[in-house]
Amino acid sequence: MAKLNPREAVLVLFAAVAIAIGCGGESPVDEDAARPRIALIMKSLANEFFETMAEGARAHHEAHADEYDLVVNGTRNESDLARQVALVEQMVASGSDAIVMAPADSKALAPALARAQAAGVVVVNIDNRLDAEVAVEAGLDAPFVGPDNRDGARRVGEVLAERLAPGDQVAIVGGIPTAFNARQRQAGFEDAMNAAGAEIVDVQSGGWEQAQANTVAAAMLREHPELSALLCANDNMALGALAARRQSGRDDVLIVGFDHIEAVAELVVEGEILATADQHADRLAVFGIEAALEILRGETAEDLKTPVDIVTSSG
Amino acid sequence: MTLAVAGWRHSFSPGYRGGLVLVLLGLCVVFGLVTDHFWSALTFRTLANQLPPLVVAAAGLTLVLIARGIDLSVGSVLALAAAVLGVLTVDHGLPLAAAALVALAVGGLCGAINGVLVARWSIPSFLVTLGMLEIARGSTYLVTASRTSYLGDRVAALGATTPVLGLSVAFIGSLALVGGLQFVLSRTAFGRYVFAVGGNPTALHRCGVRPARVQFAVFTLAGLLAAAAGLCQVGYLQSADPNAAIGMELSAIAAVVIGGTSLLGGRGSVTGTLLGVLVIAVLQTGLAQAGATEPTKRIITGAAILLAVATDVWRRRRSADAVS
């Protein structure tokens, strides 16, 4: 075999790294045929929410290590559908007994999950609900365990509504428009604002991210000098809006967020951010795993709405 | 000793940059018409104070592009530096100045690694910096455990504003950086070497200058400036988001190209890049203020990039015709 020159060697190294990154996943700590093997497939582990979810699942597994084996997988980013489909197929091929899945898309994952179910694998849908019609069409029957984003956002909006008068102007900084939970949260905010008689003067995407949300929020504050509140579909965007409020000197503008990430905890207590919603990410995957274990024991699992708590300065 | 580099002289041509200024004014007029409050001191102050991260990162990238390279890792390195600053100040209680120095060093190190791989091992910079994009982003998630840090008043010094029209120190600093780098590019031997690496490396070699050293220097500088951009961003937003600046390398490349720097190397200017950043920032701000939808924003920004590239091709053809 020809020897590689340094340049080729480096290219090979890059290819190896690329492959390793592409196939990132974790193997179970130890294997035992008697224990069921549960595969948890999530969206981006670069997202604090899913990282917390994974940590909760790992902690639960450690406490119940004799009951099941756990394999945790995530994708590179929020919208990596192809990778999620590949992970489902990979988990089926490697002999998993159950798949607990947070789908990146509420429609596109249904066929792959239906195939897994047809192959005898238990499927539990968590976090982001699969489209009911598409699931029926694909022949998939999986219980849904997760929060109601629309209801959570409506309740965050209601906290804000208490501070608003009818006719007050508000604006929504939404998530990535193609994401199901972004649409749900926007709908929830709109429900609360319409009920309170507030006027929604602007709705734009902040791309789930601080800097973009900052640009959008700053523009909204300038264009609508009468604006009373900014409703942000996650806390990172609320932080961006907070910076925009500080820079524009409009201290009277109220800000609400969603997710209750660590970075905003203090700000909520101080009242800088009026309210946010805690979906208890650490327990979300655990509820899904428990549902999968129930089905594996031969019991039936029903749909389960997981708690969403509203956090304000008063607790 | 003279070094014949056509692009060096060409980059002084004020015509294109004058055109960009007209485009900018045109955009401001249009946004003034379609929105109610675009023409206000507040708009231009916020716009100016939002600029530094992109200006600083794109300034470093300009030198890389002139030297016929590319750096895809600027966004990730920015996020890594911001994350390091956040973790060191919030979780480890380090003073801001010390944490900022470490963050800059981390950025410089990322750039130096890019530089060594590109210059010494002659690997295409596209591949090297694509690798660094992944490594720096992965490291960001690792050091932050994927969590956002809120720094609040700990970084007040980085976000300080001056009495001059409420402009931030970072904004004035980024203008000084653009001026300084443009001076280095157009008035110093090192500047000529950068153009020569991109336009005429053989001539450079004949003059006894090793192109590898110049390449190493520009990549290290780009990493350092990406980290400095991260500090500007944390100072402005008062928090460090591990998903910050994803895709920012593309905005930075767009700004550099709109600013008249050639993707093929050997021609460009940092002052042009400043104008390119302004075009992108005015578009972003104006479209947001007009309440444009996400599809509209993307389509219009994409069209602006295509227009700039088409102009670049047209200029190159025209100058080629002029020579022949």
Side-chain angles (χ1 to χ4, degrees):
Chain A
M1 196 188 104
K3 267 175 79 175
L4 288 175
N5 68 30
R7 214 161 129 179
E8 284 166 337
V10 169
L11 285 175
V12 169
L13 188 70
F14 262 108
V17 169
I19 291 165
I21 290 166
C23 304
E26 290 171 28
S27 320
V29 182
D30 60 337
E31 303 236 9
D32 185 332
R35 286 198 296 266
R37 192 173 132 110
I38 296 183
L40 175 61
I41 304 177
M42 289 180 300
K43 292 193 254 177
S44 171
L45 288 180
N47 178 324
E48 180 164 350
F49 184 72
F50 292 103
E51 184 60 40
T52 308
M53 206 191 273
E55 275 169 22
R58 288 193 194 104
H60 181 268
H61 174 247
E62 256 171 53
H64 303 84
D66 51 334
E67 288 173 39
Y68 68 98
D69 288 326
L70 180 68
V71 191
V72 179
N73 272 290
T75 57
R76 271 172 63 82
N77 54 47
E78 294 286 304
S79 51
D80 199 347
L81 285 179
R83 182 84 196 115
Q84 275 205 329
V85 172
L87 279 170
V88 170
E89 285 163 358
Q90 212 173 310
M91 291 301 115
V92 174
S94 63
S96 296
D97 298 290
I99 292 176
V100 176
M101 174 110 207
D105 184 288
S106 39
K107 292 180 181 165
L109 265 299
L113 288 170
R115 283 197 298 276
Q117 200 167 46
V121 178
V122 168
V123 176
V124 176
N125 172 204
I126 61 168
D127 178 50
N128 178 18
R129 187 171 205 143
L130 289 166
D131 187 285
E133 276 176 36
V134 175
V136 169
E137 205 183 310
L140 175 71
D141 180 23
F144 173 70
V145 175
D148 185 335
N149 274 281
R150 182 168 183 164
D151 183 58
R154 184 182 54 76
R155 284 157 56 209
V156 169
E158 281 169 358
V159 175
L160 172 65
E162 287 170 20
R163 305 277 293 268
L164 298 175
D168 277 358
Q169 294 187 349
V170 300
I172 298 175
V173 181
I176 292 172
T178 50
F180 179 73
N181 56 350
R183 291 202 299 269
Q184 289 289 298
R185 288 176 195 180
Q186 184 179 324
F189 284 153
E190 285 168 354
D191 292 345
M193 291 300 101
N194 291 336
E199 187 194 351
I200 302 170
V201 291
D202 203 350
V203 180
Q204 287 186 60
S205 166
W208 293 134
E209 193 247 342
Q210 268 173 28
Q212 198 183 333
N214 177 264
T215 305
V216 165
M220 288 171 163
L221 288 172
R222 287 193 305 267
E223 190 60 13
H224 306 286
E226 302 296 314
L227 202 67
S228 304
L230 288 161
L231 298 99
C232 307
N234 79 0
D235 284 343
N236 265 318
M237 298 196 294
L239 284 169
L242 193 69
R245 180 180 75 182
R246 179 166 43 78
Q247 284 135 13
S248 67
R250 300 264 294 278
D251 297 335
D252 53 318
V253 173
L254 301 167
I255 295 173
V256 296
F258 205 98
D259 279 345
H260 197 225
I261 62 173
E262 252 175 62
V264 304
E266 192 80 354
L267 293 164
V268 173
V269 172
E270 290 165 0
E272 294 285 317
I273 290 174
L274 185 67
T276 185
D278 192 335
Q279 304 188 70
H280 302 284
D282 56 332
R283 279 150 62 195
L284 205 61
V286 172
F287 285 129
I289 290 168
E290 282 172 348
L293 288 170
E294 277 171 30
I295 300 174
L296 286 169
R297 281 197 297 266
E299 300 160 25
T300 51
E302 297 293 318
D303 283 3
L304 176 71
K305 203 186 266 188
T306 59
V308 180
D309 292 333
I310 305 307
V311 188
T312 62
S313 60
S314 52
Chain B
M1 181 181 72
T2 54
L3 192 58
V5 185
W8 183 50
R9 274 195 310 276
H10 195 105
S11 65
F12 287 129
S13 99
Y16 184 74
R17 275 172 281 181
L20 274 181
V21 172
L22 286 180
V23 168
L24 271 172
L25 286 176
L27 283 175
C28 290
V29 168
V30 170
F31 285 128
L33 291 174
V34 298
T35 67
D36 295 333
H37 301 275
F38 189 80
W39 282 95
S40 71
L42 181 64
T43 299
F44 292 100
R45 192 175 71 219
T46 14
L47 183 65
N49 292 345
Q50 281 171 349
L51 285 179
L54 193 56
V55 170
V56 173
L61 190 63
T62 307
L63 269 63
V64 173
L65 257 73
I66 292 175
R68 203 184 287 188
I70 196 147
D71 187 348
L72 299 176
S73 66
V74 289
S76 296
V77 172
L78 182 156
L80 178 59
V84 165
L85 185 80
V87 168
L88 288 181
T89 50
V90 176
D91 300 342
H92 299 279
L94 230 66
L96 180 64
L101 279 179
V102 177
L104 287 174
V106 167
L109 180 69
C110 291
I113 294 172
N114 284 339
V116 167
L117 292 175
V118 170
R120 291 291 295 273
W121 291 5
S122 312
I123 312 170
S125 54
F126 184 89
L127 287 175
V128 170
T129 58
L130 186 60
M132 185 54 75
L133 179 153
E134 288 291 340
I135 292 168
R137 185 65 64 180
S139 308
T140 307
Y141 295 147
L142 197 66
V143 297
T144 57
S146 301
R147 276 163 181 67
T148 299
S149 327
Y150 179 71
L151 294 95
D153 288 336
R154 289 186 192 85
V155 285
L158 281 177
T161 51
T162 63
V164 189
L165 303 169
L167 295 170
S168 67
V169 176
F171 174 70
I172 292 167
S174 66
L175 289 188
L177 174 84
V178 168
L181 275 183
Q182 184 61 48
F183 178 82
V184 167
L185 265 185
S186 45
R187 297 292 155 94
T188 67
F190 177 74
R192 285 197 296 280
Y193 299 157
V194 174
F195 281 108
V197 167
N200 195 352
T202 1
L204 190 64
H205 220 93
R206 276 203 297 274
C207 295
V209 179
R210 300 227 310 261
R213 291 212 171 152
V214 181
Q215 281 178 318
F216 175 78
V218 295
F219 277 98
T220 308
L221 185 67
L224 193 67
L225 289 178
L231 301 188
C232 295
Q233 178 141 331
V234 176
Y236 188 68
L237 296 176
Q238 296 201 336
S239 41
D241 171 0
N243 287 314
I246 286 180
M248 193 227 216
E249 55 281 352
L250 301 179
S251 302
I253 292 169
V256 175
V257 172
I258 290 176
T261 295
S262 171
L263 267 174
L264 303 173
R267 178 158 55 78
S269 68
V270 189
T271 45
T273 296
L274 175 66
L275 292 173
V277 171
L278 274 167
V279 168
I280 288 192
V282 167
L283 269 176
Q284 271 178 357
T285 299
L287 289 169
Q289 195 152 346
T293 61
E294 193 65 16
T296 314
K297 286 178 190 169
R298 289 189 173 231
I299 291 167
I300 292 184
T301 311
I305 295 169
L306 285 185
L307 205 64
V309 176
T311 314
D312 180 52
V313 171
W314 177 72
R315 285 167 69 213
R316 220 164 337 108
R317 292 232 175 105
R318 202 183 52 164
S319 63
D321 288 347
V323 170
S324 65

